[in-house]
Structure formats: structure tokens, C-alpha cells
Amino acid sequence: MEILDGIHYVGVNDRTKHLFENQWPLPYGVAYNSYLIVDEKVALVDTVDISYCDVFFEKIDAILGGKKVDYLIVNHMEPDHSGSIRVLRQKYPDVKIVGNAKTFTMIKGYFGIEDGLVEVKDGDTLSLGSTLLSFYLTPMVHWPETMVTYDAKRKVLFSGDAFGCFGALNGGCLDSTMNLDKFWSEMRRYYACIVGKYGSPVQKALAKLKDVPLDYICSTHGPVWHDNIGKVVGLYDRWSRYESEPGAVVVYGSMYGNTEQMAEAVARGIVAGGVKNVVVYNASMTDASFILSDVFKYSALVVGSPTYMNELFPCIESLLQKVTRRDVKSKIFGMFGSASWAGVSVKRMTEMVEKYNWTQVGSVENLHGVKLSKIEECEGLGKQIALEILKNK
Ligand code: FEO
């Protein structure tokens, strides 16, 4: 697929892998995007997961015929993009590999490649003929060596993971040629799971690139953005500032239904308080990535957990760890918990979130079966949460 004159999409679709990074479900698959720039010199921007290197090189051969790849530009070293570098070097022994100092530490470490490296620093350029590529270092979007590559002639940004989505590409690669419905939520889930911890580096990268004119954004995953550039840049700006919309995620673990009844009551309270955006999740049923995605979307988080072996219910502990490790900011937060003898779940949740500057609204604790008075307390907690959400609208 030729995106623009001289820029070809040579990425691949993976509809086989169940879990990205062996942890995040891929209900719609995932694409590993790579781009071939054909000028007097030929440059390849990133490679693909090693499992797909045969298909990948067939695509490149079909475009180049007998011509060689002169440069490989490594925007990102995570193996979903760097996985085919060793094979590329075997196929094109003279290929020069372009990256920064941190890229090369990783290339040596992963592939033992130490020669034919062209080191670039922030703002450096590389001429392919009529195409002049510029490089901008964008560390921690998503790894320390991450950089982006810009083609000023065509106003194309090769952005690495930034602006990427889960979801394989179904016949097209340009956003203007496809139905994007599923990609918006998959983009947020990708951001929350993969990039979500690095809000501050994303902000720095956006600031660095703010005056760069963009006609196309070529990410390493998901659609090539052309019609929606303003939207995707705006979304990244919001998410990396941890800005959310008014609404609540109520998530619970429950062994025998008591904590679940409390969750239902909390949710009723939030809705009774005038908030329409309420999503309730059973953390034992829904994969954490989908919950995490909505935690980034909505302003309030209310968590319920039984006490289990004198700790939190395991899936709730794991979920809260995922949220806090991403330094999610500005949450309106409430808790509820139940127990059969010594209840510690609310105490444990308090300990987990205490260093975060969240707005703590309150908590409800229950022992044994849920009594009407506790249901009313939970509805009351929900109404308090709603008040906070509407206050911060
Ligand atoms: Fe798609 Fe951070 O690799």
C-alpha cells in the first residue's frame, strides 16, 4: 500500500497472538506497522515482530525488486518493532542502522550488532535524495531510546508507539479509508496499558513537536492518521495530562455476592446523584485492560473488595496496582469492602493510594451479610461521589 508517492506501508497484521506483551488481550488483533521510503536511497522505518518477518520481507521485495534497503531507522527497540532487525541485517549486510545512543546499547544487547550504526542526536537530519528526514528524541514514549522521524517534504511524522492502537488493519491503512469505530476505544486501551505511565514524557514530546506541520502520522500500531490528526493529538494531550470526563468506574471483587450488592448500591447512588456515565465492572470477569481504559476515561473510581487472607481480593489488588503504577492523577476515589471476620480491605486500599493526591470521598465497610443500613450507606457514598463529579465538571 503506497500511502504517498514514495512512502509505502509494509506492516503486518497479527490475529494470532492472544495477549500483547503476554498480558493485554487482543480481541481485534494488532498491527505492527513499518514504512518503506523509496528515494535515491531507500529507508525502512522500524521492522515487525519476528513471527511475521517472512511476510514482511515479501512485501519489501515486491516493492524494491532487486534494490537494497540502505537505511533502517529504529524509532523504537521494543521487540514488536525491532524483532526482524537481525534478519534484515542478514538480508542486507550493508544496511546502515540509524538510531540514538540508547538505541545502540539495546541493539548490541539484543542482537549483538555493533557495526554500520549511524548515531543521530535531537534535530539531526539524514538525506535520502529529495527526502530529508529529521529526528527528534522522545524518551519514555514508550522506552528510553524512543525517537520519532519527520519527513518535512511530505509533512509525515513516523511516531513510533505514539498515537498507536490495538486492532489489526482490515484491508486499508489510512484512517480516511476505514470505519474507525472500534479503534477509538482500542486507542485509549492501548494508551492506558502501554503508554499510560508516561504522561509527563508524552507532554514533553507534544511540546517539542508542537510547531511541526503534520499531514500524516505513521504510528507503529493501528491506522495511519490523516483525516484525524487534530483529534488524535488532542486525545494524547488530554490523556497525558490525565484529564478525564465526568463519570465513574465502580469496580468490585466478590466471592459470594455481598461486595457485589454494595457495588450495585454505590452505582445506584451515583446515578441518583445525577451522573449518567457509570460503568460497573466485576474484576474477576473483565480483563483489567478494559477497566484501566475506563479509569483513564472517567473522573471517579470506586473500588470494592472482600478481605481475603488478611489482604485485598487478589484481582482488586492487581487492578489497583496497575492504576497506581501509572501515576493516574486527579481521581475522585471511594472504597467499600466486606469481610466474614477481620475486615482489612478498606485499610489496604487506603495504604495503596495514600501517596496519590486523589480526592478521597469516603468508604463503607460491611461484616457478614449486607444489611439494609449498609446498602443505604453505599447509596450515600455513591451520592457523595456524584456530588464531587458534578462539582469538578
Ligand atoms: Fe509497540 Fe513499545 O512497542
Side-chain angles (χ1 to χ4, degrees), residues 9 11-21 26-33 48-52 80 166-170 221:
Y9 177 88
V12 297
N13 286 312
D14 185 344
R15 297 188 184 85
T16 303
K17 189 174 287 187
H18 289 264
L19 298 172
F20 188 78
E21 293 182 343
L26 293 169
Y28 307 109
V30 67
Y32 312 118
N33 296 344
V48 302
D49 188 289
I50 186 64
S51 324
Y52 289 85
D80 52 336
F166 291 132
L169 298 174
N170 301 316
H221 301 287

Side-chain angles (χ1 to χ4, degrees), residues 301-314:
L301 173 63
V302 195
V303 184
S305 173
T307 294
Y308 188 83
M309 294 183 177
N310 209 32
E311 294 294 342
L312 285 171
F313 197 53

